[in-house]
Amino acid sequence: MPVIDLLDLPVALPPIAPVIGLDLGEKTIGVAVSDGLRMVASPLVLIRKTKFTQEAEQLFALMDGRGALGIIIGLPVNMDGTEGPRCQSSRAFARNLLRLRDLPIAFWDERMSSMAVNRMLVDEADMTRARRGEVVDKTAAAWILQGALERLRNLPPAEG
C-alpha cells in the first residue's frame, strides 16, 4: 500500500481501530495513540533512534499491543509551505515502514507543533526544561495525531 492522503485514511481502516501518531525527531520518535473511535490522542512513549529496523520493531510491537492499524506521521513542512530535507526524511521513514508491513500511512502538517507543545508545557504545566525534554516529542506526537483526528472528524459526509 502506498502512503495515502489523510482524507482517505477512514476508508482504509475498519470503523473502530486505533491509529498511531509519530513525531520524528533527530534523536527520538515521539509516539502517540488514539482510542478505537479515533476521537482522542494520548502521548504514549519515546523510541530512541538507533537502527531503523529496531525502531520499526518497537513501533510495530506497540501497534500490535494496542490493536492500532494505521499511522499518521507529522510532516515538518517549512513555514512557507515548501518541503525541505526533514520532510524528505519523514517520507523516507514511511516508505521504509511500508517495505516491512503493508498498512495505511498518512501525513499531517506539523508546523509549529513542538513550539506549541513547549509553550503549553511551560505556561500550563509549569514544567522545567529538563522535564520538557523528556515529554515534548511524545506530546508533540499527540498534538499531531489530535489535529489529524479532528480534521477527519470534521469531514463532510460525502468525504468521510
Short mmCIF file of all heavy atoms in Angstrom, two decimals, residues 27 31 72 84 110 135:
data_model
loop_
_atom_site.label_atom_id
_atom_site.label_comp_id
_atom_site.label_asym_id
_atom_site.label_seq_id
_atom_site.Cartn_x
_atom_site.Cartn_y
_atom_site.Cartn_z
N LYS A 27 16.78 12.55 17.41
CA LYS A 27 17.28 11.52 18.32
C LYS A 27 16.19 10.58 18.83
O LYS A 27 16.49 9.50 19.33
CB LYS A 27 17.96 12.17 19.52
CG LYS A 27 19.18 12.99 19.14
CD LYS A 27 19.79 13.66 20.34
CE LYS A 27 20.98 14.51 19.92
NZ LYS A 27 21.53 15.26 21.04
N VAL A 31 5.75 8.94 20.10
CA VAL A 31 4.65 8.07 19.69
C VAL A 31 3.42 8.41 20.52
O VAL A 31 3.50 8.53 21.75
CB VAL A 31 5.02 6.58 19.87
CG1 VAL A 31 3.88 5.69 19.38
CG2 VAL A 31 6.32 6.24 19.15
N ILE A 72 -0.15 7.95 11.42
CA ILE A 72 -0.12 9.33 10.94
C ILE A 72 1.21 9.91 11.37
O ILE A 72 1.53 9.92 12.57
CB ILE A 72 -1.30 10.16 11.49
CG1 ILE A 72 -2.62 9.58 10.99
CG2 ILE A 72 -1.15 11.63 11.10
CD1 ILE A 72 -3.86 10.19 11.61
N GLY A 84 11.48 20.57 2.88
CA GLY A 84 12.93 20.52 2.90
C GLY A 84 13.43 19.13 3.24
O GLY A 84 12.69 18.14 3.17
N GLU A 110 2.83 19.32 10.48
CA GLU A 110 3.13 19.53 11.91
C GLU A 110 3.76 20.88 12.19
O GLU A 110 4.34 21.07 13.26
CB GLU A 110 4.04 18.41 12.42
CG GLU A 110 5.44 18.49 11.86
CD GLU A 110 6.47 17.79 12.73
OE1 GLU A 110 6.66 16.60 12.56
OE2 GLU A 110 7.07 18.47 13.57
N VAL A 135 9.34 14.79 27.65
CA VAL A 135 7.95 14.58 27.22
C VAL A 135 7.56 15.32 25.95
O VAL A 135 6.51 15.02 25.38
CB VAL A 135 6.95 14.97 28.35
CG1 VAL A 135 7.18 14.13 29.58
CG2 VAL A 135 7.02 16.43 28.67
#
